[in-house]
Amino acid sequence: MKKPHQIKAALDQFTGSTVIYKHWLGLKYTEGIKYLADETNCYWLIDAIFSHQTKQLLSNANLREFQIWHLRVENNSGILICEWDTNQEVLRQEIEYTDFPLSHIKLYLVEGTLILPSEY
């Protein structure tokens, strides 16, 4: 596995996606997200974000077209947070154990497609 700074540098290179992947829950994700998942073995992160796309969450009009997701990792445990705007938290999930190599990753869910901020 690459070091965290190498992964971050590679992720910054994704600025658009010509290939979109379809998730088994029906949502989509970009090449940058696929790279992140392949490189860090975090397909579970995509599953977690997509599993929260429920009627209850999407009943908030602010979340239907755009969501901000943060994964913060410290001492092999994590917190997954969804925001509808910067610092406007609407959901928090504790993750007891993770070997995710980055201390923080921010992702966007835009109209049903999970993307890296650099791909927005």
Side-chain angles (χ1 to χ4, degrees), residues 21-28 50 112:
Y21 298 91
K22 189 168 183 182
H23 188 268
W24 61 273
L25 287 174
L27 296 151
K28 300 172 191 150
F50 287 174

Side-chain angles (χ1 to χ4, degrees), residues 1 14 19-25 27-52 71 80 93 95 98-101 105 107 114:
M1 183 182 292
F14 290 94
V19 177
I20 300 293
Y21 298 91
K22 189 168 183 182
H23 188 268
W24 61 273
L25 287 174
L27 296 151
K28 300 172 191 150
Y29 56 97
T30 61
E31 291 173 286
I33 297 296
K34 182 170 185 340
Y35 175 86
L36 174 69
D38 286 344
E39 200 60 45
T40 64
N41 282 327
C42 75
Y43 279 95
W44 61 267
L45 178 58
I46 299 170
D47 293 345
I49 292 170
F50 287 174
S51 72
H52 286 294
L71 175 62
L80 182 62
Q93 178 183 347
I95 299 168
T98 180
D99 59 357
F100 189 76
I105 187 82
L107 307 173
L114 190 63

Side-chain angles (χ1 to χ4, degrees), residues 3-119:
K3 295 181 189 253
H5 72 276
Q6 294 171 311
I7 295 168
K8 285 181 183 181
L11 292 174
D12 288 342
Q13 301 304 308
F14 290 94
T15 57
S17 193
T18 57
V19 177
I20 300 293
Y21 298 91
K22 189 168 183 182
H23 188 268
W24 61 273
L25 287 174
L27 296 151
K28 300 172 191 150
Y29 56 97
T30 61
E31 291 173 286
I33 297 296
K34 182 170 185 340
Y35 175 86
L36 174 69
D38 286 344
E39 200 60 45
T40 64
N41 282 327
C42 75
Y43 279 95
W44 61 267
L45 178 58
I46 299 170
D47 293 345
I49 292 170
F50 287 174
S51 72
H52 286 294
Q53 304 307 304
T54 62
K55 286 182 183 178
Q56 180 181 356
L57 183 75
L58 298 175
S59 67
N60 180 337
N62 295 316
L63 296 170
R64 286 190 200 125
E65 294 187 22
F66 184 79
Q67 300 169 16
I68 303 167
W69 287 87
H70 296 273
L71 175 62
R72 299 185 190 284
V73 176
E74 188 175 323
N75 298 323
N76 289 86
S77 63
I79 299 172
L80 182 62
I81 298 169
C82 177
E83 300 174 338
W84 66 268
D85 196 1
T86 304
N87 298 321
Q88 300 296 317
E89 184 177 321
V90 294
L91 183 144
R92 177 179 287 246
Q93 178 183 347
E94 303 287 328
I95 299 168
E96 287 186 36
Y97 175 81
T98 180
D99 59 357
F100 189 76
L102 306 177
S103 61
H104 175 250
I105 187 82
K106 177 164 97 172
L107 307 173
Y108 296 151
L109 185 62
V110 181
E111 298 177 358
T113 302
L114 190 63
I115 67 174
L116 299 170
S118 61
E119 294 176 303

